């Protein structure tokens, strides 16, 4: 092993625990034990998802000759069943697809949209005061038009190979036969306490109000029926068919007449009008690689590329040192400042992407970074004042797949908060994505508008072609998670296991945040000496990483969640 690689391994261990794996602190989420899974190596195809059942579904499709898109759809349908707190057909998603034969990269947008009757004050109380986040996420007015299924239908028409109905078989089978409740799902249910939605309460809690225990075989016949309908009729069943009614009723039909002003806004016209979009991926050089991400309305691509563009201008520092962490935090702080002030739905107002990623502009941003931490909140350099960080939550999912034809998918999907709006329709939770809008700046709510996202599905290329596929859940922390993974992979030459295991850190245009309990005390003091208002917080990333190795692939899943990697 090279001396540099040995140093990286030692530093990763230091950052994670300080001494040994036995002394790791409690996991970032009560439902997730920190468990490092072995990497998967493959010659033909490989999949990394957030749950073993989903990885198995993806591999089933790949072994049947399906494409990465086929495998992603099958895996996503299973995730909506076994990981209902994070994603599903009641939410949205963003997908990058690399077509190896055509050497073409496509970006498919399945982000939710605000209802056609949306207004600035829709998440306010009777006195006109904006609801606090804990109330807003459960309010039916926070539900946006789901976009994931429509986007997956578009992707399948363009890049699928297996029949659409075939892709639903693993999820239908699991919904009928049941699956064992995982520690993470049980823990999140215990934190939730109970659901006001009687259907959800009966499904996930027993008659005494206790969450289904770990290992309980959970069946979801309502979702099984919905999946059969979708398998037979396609996405239109959700937007114009049998499932549209239950979605509309779950949002608008459960409040008394005297509370009609609190009914959700999502209705039949919103569902019928929804259209997934195809966008142009954002690609910029980094070292000897080309890094490609998702464009607005996601801020993921711009923020990752801006962070890398600033980082590459800064003096080199030993991996894991105080200087290294300081530089990474300052680069992210500046990138996040432009994120808040500049990025929104490009259909509502132009986003100055080229200017944000201009090499000379990023060099000037880098030149402003000194040896001490900058202001607690940096004014945006390009778009002026007026940006605002929204309360984007970390309950999201990501999967990465490479098929036997050389095609690749990076798909990030979400229902926003854990269990979304806590409202079920036909066996699945509906999102609360309208809480992703801000009160001011380019991300203000408007009818039909897509809220800003931080999802950052990413593909990396070198002179030989596709090199890496990755992404992560984590709400507005996602760009920092992905940027750190790319720096570790490219600059640090970390192995995939080292990349997913390293302690998380970064700034979102505020204090330096480090993963709770996982930074060595001497580093904490060194960073404080540089002026950082350091905060130890939960940083539950879920990196799903695939990297080309020789003539095959190696994949690794983040140990903070329940993901697995597999391949042939």
């Amino acid at each position: 092993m090279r001396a540099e690689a040995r140093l990286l391994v030692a530093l990763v261990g230091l950052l994670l625990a300080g001494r040994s794996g036995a002394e790791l602190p409690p996991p970032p989420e009560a439902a997730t034990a920190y468990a490092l899974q072995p990497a998967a190596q493959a010659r033909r195809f490989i999949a990394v998802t957030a749950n073993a059942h989903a990885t198995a579904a993806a591999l089933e499709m790949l072994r049947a000759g399906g494409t990465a898109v086929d495998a992603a759809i099958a895996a996503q349908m299973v995730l909506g069943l076994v990981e209902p707190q994070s994603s599903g057909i009641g939410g949205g998603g963003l997908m990058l697809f690399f077509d190896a034969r055509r050497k073409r990269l496509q970006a498919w947008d399945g982000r939710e949209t605000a209802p056609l009757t949306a207004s600035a004050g829709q998440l306010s109380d009777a006195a006109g005061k904006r609801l606090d986040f804990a109330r807003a996420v459960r309010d039916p007015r926070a539900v946006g038009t789901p976009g994931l299924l429509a986007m997956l239908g578009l992707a399948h028409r363009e890049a699928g190979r297996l029949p659409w109905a075939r892709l639903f078989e693993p999820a239908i089978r699991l919904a009928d036969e049941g699956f064992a409740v995982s520690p993470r799902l049980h823990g999140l249910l215990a934190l939730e306490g109970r659901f006001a939605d009687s259907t959800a309460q009966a499904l996930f809690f027993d008659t005494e109000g206790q969450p289904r225990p770990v290992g309980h075989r959970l069946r979801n016949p309502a979702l099984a029926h919905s999946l059969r309908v979708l398998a037979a009729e396609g996405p239109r069943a959700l937007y114009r068919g049998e499932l549209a009614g239950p979605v509309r009723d779950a949002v608008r039909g459960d409040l008394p007449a005297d509370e009609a002003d609190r009914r959700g806004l999502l209705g039949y016209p919103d569902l019928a009008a929804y259209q997934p979009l195809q966008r142009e991926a954002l690609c910029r050089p980094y070292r000897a690689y080309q890094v490609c991400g998702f464009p607005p309305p996601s801020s993921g691509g711009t923020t990752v590329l801006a962070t890398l563009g600033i980082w590459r201008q800064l003096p080199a520092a030993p991996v894991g040192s105080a200087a290294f962490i300081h530089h990474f935090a300052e680069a992210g702080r500046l990138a996040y400042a432009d994120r808040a002030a500049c990025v929104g739905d490009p259909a509502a107002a132009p986003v100055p992407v080229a200017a944000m990623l201009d090499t000379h502009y990023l060099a000037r941003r880098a030149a402003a970074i000194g040896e001490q931490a900058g202001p607690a909140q940096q004014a945006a350099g390009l778009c002026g004042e007026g940006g605002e960080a929204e309360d984007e939550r970390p309950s999201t999912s990501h999967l990465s797949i490479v098929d036997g034809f050389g095609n690749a998918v990076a798909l990030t999907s979400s229902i926003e908060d854990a269990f979304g709006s806590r409202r079920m329709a036909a066996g699945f939770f509906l999102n609360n994505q309208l809480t992703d809008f801000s009160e001011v700046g380019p991300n203000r709510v408007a009818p039909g508008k897509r809220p800003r996202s931080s999802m950052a599905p990413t593909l990396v290329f070198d002179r030989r072609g596709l090199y890496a596929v990755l992404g992560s859940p984590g709400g507005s922390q996602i760009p920092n998670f992905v940027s750190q993974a790319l720096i570790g992979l490219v600059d640090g030459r970390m192995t995939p296991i080292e990349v997913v295991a390293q302690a998380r850190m970064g700034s979102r245009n505020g204090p330096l945040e480090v993963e709770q309990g996982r930074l060595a005390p001497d580093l904490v003091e060194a960073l404080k000496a540089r002026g950082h208002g350091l905060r130890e917080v939960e940083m539950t990333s879920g990196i799903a990483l695939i990297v080309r190795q020789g003539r095959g692939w190696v994949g690794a899943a983040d140990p903070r969640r329940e993901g697995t990697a597999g391949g042939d």
Side-chain angles (χ1 to χ4, degrees), residues 226-238:
S226 294
L227 293 173
R228 286 190 174 92
V229 171
L230 291 167
E233 301 180 16
R236 72 170 302 278
L238 179 66

Side-chain angles (χ1 to χ4, degrees), residues 457-480:
T458 303
L459 299 181
V460 183
F461 300 87
D462 64 9
R463 59 184 178 80
R464 289 177 52 192
L466 179 67
Y467 174 68
V469 185
L470 69 155
S472 178
S476 59
Q477 294 175 331
I478 291 174
N480 275 337

